[in-house]
Amino acid sequence: MKNDYTKDAKIFKALCDEKRLCILSLLKSGEKCACVLIEEMEIGQSALSYHMKILCDSGIVESRQDGKWTHYKLSKSGSEFALKRLSEITRPTSECYTKCCK
């Protein structure tokens, strides 16, 4: 049976960029307004929007609107899911070992 790795690809895409990793680091201390992230990262609004869409699509980050600004925070469930999937994908199994790794 073939696995669907679409969700996994979104998670790992979110983690494979230095700016997105920086954003995640900034969000570790709590929710941040887009205006704060723009200032901290010294990037434009369109660049931030691009990165935040990828992070939100992955499920690792959640957003909420407050007037004209969007606020972002780490998603506990999304982060836990990402950790679980990384562990599952990289954990060797006897079946994998006998079929793929001889």
Side-chain angles (χ1 to χ4, degrees):
M1 183 170 119
K2 187 176 180 180
N3 290 329
D4 181 7
Y5 293 105
T6 304
K7 178 86 172 143
D8 298 335
K10 287 182 180 183
I11 291 167
F12 298 121
K13 178 180 180 177
L15 299 174
C16 74
D17 181 90
E18 291 177 36
K19 291 198 182 305
R20 290 192 287 274
L21 292 174
C22 180
I23 291 167
L24 293 174
S25 181
L26 290 169
L27 294 177
K28 286 182 1 178
S29 63
E31 183 180 82
K32 301 270 186 300
C33 176
C35 60
V36 171
L37 294 171
I38 287 168
E39 185 176 312
E40 290 280 329
M41 306 243 345
E42 297 180 353
I43 61 174
Q45 188 274 330
S46 62
L48 180 68
S49 292
Y50 169 78
H51 291 297
M52 296 316 295
K53 175 161 180 26
I54 292 169
L55 287 167
C56 289
D57 285 351
S58 76
I60 297 171
V61 172
E62 299 174 346
S63 67
R64 71 174 179 85
Q65 285 295 129
D66 184 17
K68 74 174 193 164
W69 290 107
T70 305
H71 296 258
Y72 298 98
K73 69 177 182 175
L74 294 175
S75 166
K76 184 177 187 316
S77 63
S79 297
E80 289 171 354
F81 180 78
L83 284 169
K84 178 183 170 210
R85 288 303 296 144
L86 177 61
S87 177
E88 290 171 353
I89 290 169
T90 59
R91 184 181 315 116
T93 63
S94 59
E95 180 181 324
C96 173
Y97 182 75
T98 57
K99 287 183 180 179
C100 307
C101 304
K102 279 190 169 183

